[in-house]
Amino acid sequence: MPALLDEVIELLKPTDGGIYLDGTLGYGGYSLAILSESSPTGVVYGFDLDKSAIEVATVRLSEFGDRFRPVHCGYHDAPEALSDLGISALDGIALDLGLSSTQIDDPDRGFSFRFEGPLDMRFDTESGLTLMEMLKKIRLSDLEKVLREYGEERFASRIAKAIIEASRKGTLKTTSDLADLTARVIPGRRGKIHPATRTFQGLRIMVNRELDNLKIALENLPRLLKAGARLCVVSYHSLEDRLVKIAFREMAKSSVKLRIVTPKPVRPTNEEARSNPRARSARLRALEAIA
């Protein structure tokens, strides 16, 4: 189940006849709830860069017929893609910025240090460079910046040097190689968090241009909201949440047509945090278009 699902649906308030965007479709958790609440004629456009996720979600949501409309596209390109489909305004938008457990648990995707897999990390496996390809081209200074800013890794410099050296030697080929290398480079004892956690986060963000795409989306998606419609964003780490917080604040200040619905981020209940460990770090913020 997606994080903060009940809270997102409560804020979106889906209604019959509404048109909604699930900008991070995944396996259709939000879309299923929105379609159910907007019965019998509400429509959901489900966007995702992961084609395999779209295929699974399409089967899962087949009972809704053409009320569910999947699109192989990133949420940052949604305004243009929706325009091509004849849609210029929406009754609500939901974005869940986290990885799905299925993506993480698939060794072939290369997202996790828990499994042996290729250095890929792409959401869209049909386009763009893999992590392995990027590491062969990246400059040391740029890699340091990625690990420091995107991974919030205090040992960014020594990890970057080790990665570049191993890549040049040809000894960096799998996720296990990367995880082991990072663990060797970071001093001290291993705590609750695996020493490669921040490195994997930073590299994944780089490969998929996650923060750049989020900035684009935050600038453009609010323009699609009808009066009374809301944009709900669920983030999982401070980099994303900070971008959402600042963007919402600036838009609300500069426009009388937008207001912040969540002065403070909505967090999961203790019960949800216990039953769904992935939701523990989730933060939900919402912005509303007003007349």
Side-chain angles (χ1 to χ4, degrees):
M1 179 180 292
L4 296 167
L5 175 61
D6 292 341
E7 291 82 353
V8 168
I9 297 303
E10 183 178 348
L11 285 166
L12 284 181
K13 302 184 186 303
T15 58
D16 179 23
I19 301 175
Y20 302 91
L21 169 64
D22 182 352
T24 47
L25 175 62
Y27 294 98
Y30 285 146
S31 290
L32 175 61
I34 296 170
L35 287 164
S36 299
E37 292 294 320
S38 64
S39 179
T41 64
V43 173
V44 172
Y45 286 87
F47 280 51
D48 207 296
L49 287 167
D50 188 337
K51 202 165 186 178
S52 64
I54 289 177
E55 292 170 353
V56 173
T58 299
V59 173
R60 182 184 185 192
L61 302 174
S62 60
E63 65 181 284
F64 297 100
D66 65 359
R67 290 180 57 209
F68 172 65
R69 303 176 186 178
V71 183
H72 183 213
C73 182
Y75 59 75
H76 55 291
D77 289 326
E80 294 80 5
L82 287 170
S83 178
D84 291 342
L85 295 169
I87 304 298
S88 59
L90 297 166
D91 293 286
I93 303 171
L95 301 180
D96 181 335
L97 304 179
L99 284 173
S100 73
S101 57
T102 307
Q103 286 175 319
I104 295 173
D105 293 340
D106 183 351
D108 291 336
R109 303 300 297 275
F111 286 118
S112 177
F113 45 76
R114 293 188 290 115
F115 309 104
E116 177 86 20
L119 294 174
D120 193 324
M121 292 195 184
R122 292 173 299 165
F123 292 152
D124 186 351
T125 57
E126 297 184 354
S127 67
L129 298 177
T130 66
L131 174 59
M132 173 75 84
E133 292 168 334
M134 294 185 76
L135 290 179
K136 289 179 179 178
K137 299 180 179 182
I138 196 169
R139 295 184 301 180
L140 175 59
S141 59
D142 291 335
L143 182 55
E144 286 181 16
K145 185 176 181 181
V146 164
L147 298 180
R148 184 177 300 107
E149 295 185 4
Y150 296 167
E152 300 178 291
E153 174 56 69
R154 57 182 294 205
F155 299 107
S157 179
R158 62 175 69 185
I159 295 172
K161 290 178 181 177
I163 288 175
I164 294 294
E165 181 178 348
S167 181
R168 289 174 179 171
K169 289 181 178 179
T171 57
L172 185 62
K173 298 179 180 179
T174 69
T175 51
S176 295
D177 293 337
L178 179 58
D180 293 343
L181 177 152
T182 306
R184 289 196 303 270
V185 169
I186 293 180
R189 295 181 178 179
R190 179 177 295 187
K192 293 182 180 179
I193 299 177
H194 191 285
T197 300
R198 294 183 177 87
T199 293
F200 271 66
Q201 172 183 297
L203 294 174
R204 190 200 75 230
I205 291 173
M206 173 189 72
V207 168
N208 297 288
R209 299 178 56 83
E210 292 177 45
L211 298 185
D212 291 337
N213 290 339
L214 178 58
K215 290 177 184 177
I216 294 171
L218 291 172
E219 180 179 351
N220 295 324
L221 289 179
R223 301 172 187 171
L224 296 176
L225 296 173
K226 298 178 183 178
R230 292 172 172 175
L231 165 61
C232 296
V233 183
V234 177
S235 58
Y236 293 85
H237 56 75
S238 60
L239 296 174
E240 294 171 338
D241 184 57
R242 191 179 306 123
L243 283 179
V244 178
K245 176 183 177 180
I246 293 173
F248 280 9
R249 185 173 61 198
E250 291 180 349
M251 285 187 283
K253 283 183 178 180
S254 62
S255 174
V256 295
K257 296 182 179 181
L258 296 168
R259 76 177 183 93
I260 295 173
V261 184
T262 51
K264 293 184 178 180
V266 178
R267 303 178 66 174
T269 62
N270 291 334
E271 181 181 355
E272 180 176 8
R274 284 194 297 269
S275 62
N276 182 10
R278 176 178 173 271
R280 290 174 184 170
S281 60
R283 303 290 184 271
L284 165 61
R285 295 183 186 270
L287 186 74
E288 179 181 278
I290 57 180

